[in-house]
């Protein structure tokens, strides 16, 4: 029998505690807390950052409530549109045991995005070019030239990259690589696929691919294309299409602008504005035993929480499937209450540890990456059981800021059309 989880608790944003004072970059609070390690070479920069949760079990840092500053849509050809044409609307079925067949259409109505194409930060960068007014110092005053070419934002990245960082203290299986470039005062961060992740992706079994498809199929059962429409599960599942929000927030002393895909909008309350009206959709295997439920709380909920907490998405609707791929029950989780489900679990994850670690990592990046050059990349590396380390690269192997972006925004000469690069029509 499936066990349901009690999601009661305090969901108010003011429950996110505020720090009374900022700590210095690369420092730890409290007696006995470790600083990032340094080798005795005279270099004042840290050479590694510890990851163990014990170093970050402190009070909750200041995380400002995210504000949506824009959005964009990607069509079936991954072309970007500066609007919400791909936004879908959540339609909950009346039956909490809907019997959705998540395998339906896998063989004949499935268009899969090409995972071999690495888009890096390109869509976010295109959005910036189309929305210079969101960064007033780029737009200038009444059409006059901008006074400065800086974004006055510390970090530009994808929500998914930050999710990986938040969950790192509790991750024990998958490592990561993050490429960072400091350009005109802003740190751009783009994930690099690890060799292990590439091998796993290329060797996925048909069953694994079908499970991935099931997550998108679940969205098709619950999402309508129009505000007053109904879901059409008989259509084609095309994973090229996406709606993405762009939010601005701050973690302690770090200002952040990042984008993330949004599954759908709850249109039932017109008073709710983005991102408070957005809903995240998830699927998971139903739990039959206390051990399965413990693993769900320990390993899956942390990723669900982090992914929705970062952009301020308040609700997660989960469909629990049986072994035949049929959704047998639905459950709604409130993002700000999820931590109540795990706080009494021995050795389980803590939201404060996740946020404190992310704060420390961003400070570590600022301490390490000091050369402002769009051709220079610092590659941060982490493997389970190890500290975070980094290497420097200037040969272009890991470069990800395209010439069309550097030239279009900042007016640098000689940077457009490099190495056969296609300048997008924006």
């Amino acid at each position: 029998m499936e066990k349901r989880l009690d999601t009661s608790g305090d969901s108010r944003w003011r429950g996110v505690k505020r720090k009374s004072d900022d700590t210095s970059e690369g420092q730890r609070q409290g007696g006995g807390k470790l600083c990032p390690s340094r080798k005795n070479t005279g270099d004042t920069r840290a050479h590694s950052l510890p990851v163990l949760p014990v170093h970050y079990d402190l009070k909750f840092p200041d995380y400002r409530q995210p504000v949506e500053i824009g959005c964009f849509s990607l069509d079936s050809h991954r072309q970007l549109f500066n609007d919400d044409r791909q936004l879908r609307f959540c339609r909950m079925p009346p039956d909490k045991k809907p019997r959705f067949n998540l395998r339906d259409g896998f063989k004949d109505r499935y268009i899969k995005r090409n995972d071999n194409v690495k888009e890096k930060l390109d869509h976010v960068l295109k959005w910036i070019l189309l929305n210079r007014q969101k960064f007033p110092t780029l737009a200038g005053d009444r059409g006059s030239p901008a006074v400065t070419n800086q974004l006055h934002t510390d970090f530009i990245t994808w929500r998914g990259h930050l999710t990986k960082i938040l969950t790192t203290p509790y991750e024990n299986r998958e490592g990561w690589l993050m490429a960072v470039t400091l350009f005109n005062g802003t740190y751009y961060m783009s994930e690099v696929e690890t060799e292990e992740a590439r091998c796993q992706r290329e060797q996925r079994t048909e069953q694994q691919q079908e499970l991935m498809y099931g997550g998108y199929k679940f969205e098709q059962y619950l999402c309508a294309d129009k505000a007053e429409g109904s879901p059409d599960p008989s259509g084609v599942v095309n994973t090229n299409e996406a709606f993405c929000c762009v939010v601005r927030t701050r973690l302690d002393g770090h200002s952040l602008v990042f984008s993330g895909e949004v599954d759908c909008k709850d249109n039932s309350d017109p008073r709710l504005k983005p991102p408070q009206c957005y809903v995240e959709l998830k699927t998971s295997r139903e739990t039959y035993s206390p051990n399965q439920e413990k693993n769900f709380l320990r390993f899956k909920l942390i990723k669900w929480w982090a992914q929705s907490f970062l952009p301020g998405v308040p609700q997660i609707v989960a469909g629990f499937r049986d072994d035949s791929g049929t959704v047998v029950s639905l459950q709604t989780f409130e993002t700000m209450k999820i931590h109540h489900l795990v706080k009494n679990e021995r050795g389980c994850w803590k939201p404060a540890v996740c946020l404190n670690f992310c704060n420390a990592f961003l400070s570590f990046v600022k301490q390490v990456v000091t050369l402002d050059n769009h051709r220079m990349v610092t590659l941060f590396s982490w493997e389970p059981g190890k500290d975070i380390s980094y290497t420097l690269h200037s040969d272009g192997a890991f470069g990800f800021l395209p010439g069309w972006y550097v030239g279009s925004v900042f007016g640098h000469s000689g940077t457009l059309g490099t190495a056969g690069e296609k300048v997008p029509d924006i």
Side-chain angles (χ1 to χ4, degrees):
M1 181 179 295
E2 177 201 355
K3 290 197 173 185
R4 296 183 63 80
L5 303 172
D6 180 12
T7 57
S8 62
D10 186 3
S11 64
R12 297 167 294 182
W13 263 94
R14 65 188 183 192
V16 180
K17 298 179 181 177
R18 305 292 182 178
K19 286 187 65 176
S20 58
D21 55 357
D22 292 337
T23 54
S24 301
E25 294 177 4
Q27 299 296 315
R28 292 285 149 262
Q29 297 181 16
K33 301 300 180 183
L34 297 180
C35 295
S37 62
R38 296 180 176 85
K39 296 179 181 179
N40 189 21
T41 61
D43 187 352
T44 60
R45 293 180 299 179
H47 289 268
S48 63
L49 181 71
V51 173
L52 290 176
V54 66
H55 302 316
Y56 307 99
D57 193 3
L58 311 165
K59 64 180 181 179
F60 214 103
D62 177 15
Y63 187 69
R64 187 172 298 173
Q65 183 164 353
V67 176
E68 183 178 88
I69 59 173
C71 64
F72 59 87
S73 296
L74 301 175
D75 69 4
S76 59
H77 303 289
R78 300 297 285 180
Q79 295 298 307
L80 183 145
F81 293 87
N82 191 32
D83 55 36
D84 64 354
R85 67 183 64 189
Q86 292 289 351
L87 176 61
R88 298 175 298 175
F89 300 87
C90 186
R91 291 288 178 268
M92 292 293 291
D95 189 352
K96 294 299 182 181
K97 297 182 179 181
R99 307 296 300 177
F100 294 152
N101 180 5
L102 299 184
R103 292 178 171 177
D104 177 49
F106 175 68
K107 297 288 189 180
D108 58 345
R109 303 196 312 278
Y110 182 26
I111 300 176
K112 186 177 180 295
R113 175 186 164 194
N114 186 355
D115 291 332
N116 291 314
V117 177
K118 303 305 176 186
E119 296 169 327
K120 304 175 183 179
L121 295 186
D122 285 5
H123 294 308
V124 180
L125 302 180
K126 291 175 185 178
W127 180 87
I128 291 175
L129 295 186
L130 292 168
N131 294 272
R132 300 178 191 224
Q133 73 278 7
K134 306 293 183 179
F135 303 90
T137 53
L138 284 181
D141 183 18
R142 295 183 179 179
S144 62
V147 178
T148 174
N149 56 12
Q150 293 188 338
L151 298 178
H152 288 275
T153 300
D154 291 338
F155 289 91
I156 300 287
T157 190
W158 283 106
R159 181 265 311 273
H161 302 353
L162 293 174
T163 299
K164 285 200 171 182
I165 294 168
L166 250 69
T167 59
T168 294
Y170 299 101
E171 177 61 47
N172 59 12
R173 296 179 62 184
E174 299 178 356
W176 48 254
L177 296 170
M178 294 289 174
V180 177
T181 290
L182 174 60
F183 182 56
N184 280 53
T186 293
Y187 296 87
Y188 296 83
M189 183 165 62
S190 180
E191 185 178 10
V192 176
E193 186 177 37
T194 65
E195 183 65 18
E196 182 181 13
R198 183 189 65 80
C199 290
Q200 290 179 353
R201 174 174 58 82
E202 293 178 348
Q203 296 173 8
R204 285 176 189 148
T205 64
E206 182 171 339
Q207 182 182 21
Q208 290 172 326
Q209 294 181 38
E210 194 172 50
L211 284 174
M212 294 180 62
Y213 167 82
Y216 295 104
K217 184 65 182 181
F218 180 64
E219 296 174 13
Q220 195 180 56
Y221 279 111
L222 291 185
C223 296
D225 292 336
K226 299 181 182 299
E228 303 302 326
S230 299
D232 180 15
S234 67
V236 174
V237 171
N238 190 333
T239 61
N240 289 289
E241 299 173 344
F243 169 76
C244 298
C245 69
V246 183
V247 302
R248 176 179 283 133
T249 185
R250 176 176 290 271
L251 174 57
D252 257 4
H254 311 296
S255 58
L256 305 165
V257 169
F258 57 85
S259 179
E261 188 171 346
V262 173
D263 290 332
C264 55
K265 175 182 179 180
D266 179 3
N267 213 37
S268 62
D269 188 348
R271 297 172 299 177
L272 295 178
K273 305 300 180 184
Q276 285 78 28
C277 60
Y278 294 148
V279 179
E280 182 71 24
L281 302 179
K282 294 292 185 184
T283 59
S284 183
R285 185 175 181 267
E286 62 177 340
T287 58
Y288 298 98
S289 68
N291 189 55
Q292 289 176 338
E293 183 176 337
K294 182 178 180 180
N295 287 337
F296 173 77
L297 294 172
R298 184 182 295 268
F299 301 115
K300 183 158 286 189
L301 265 191
I302 183 176
K303 296 179 180 180
W304 290 9
W305 166 81
Q307 184 180 18
S308 292
F309 176 85
L310 281 166
V313 174
Q315 285 191 340
I316 303 168
V317 175
F320 290 91
R321 67 178 186 274
D322 61 19
D323 290 336
S324 70
T326 299
V327 174
V328 295
S329 65
L330 299 175
Q331 185 170 354
T332 298
F333 297 86
E334 293 189 36
T335 303
M336 297 299 290
K337 297 178 181 178
I338 285 178
H339 68 281
H340 289 285
L341 300 175
V342 301
K343 66 180 181 180
N344 294 324
E345 289 286 327
R346 184 178 179 181
C348 212
W349 58 275
K350 298 179 180 179
V353 170
C354 298
L355 268 293
N356 281 317
F357 173 75
C358 185
N359 184 33
F361 175 74
L362 298 180
S363 294
F364 181 55
V365 169
K366 287 182 176 179
Q367 186 180 19
V368 167
V369 185
T370 56
L371 180 61
D372 196 311
N373 185 336
H374 68 278
R375 294 185 176 89
M376 180 65 69
V377 174
T378 304
L379 188 65
F380 291 86
S381 174
W382 177 74
E383 296 178 13
K386 297 183 179 181
D387 292 347
I388 293 176
S389 59
Y390 64 91
T391 53
L392 303 180
H393 304 267
S394 59
D395 57 2
F398 296 101
F400 59 89
L401 285 185
W404 52 259
Y405 177 75
V406 174
S408 296
V409 175
F410 304 109
H412 286 201
S413 60
T415 58
L416 296 179
T418 60
E421 191 174 56
K422 181 181 178 182
V423 181
D425 182 15
I426 51 178

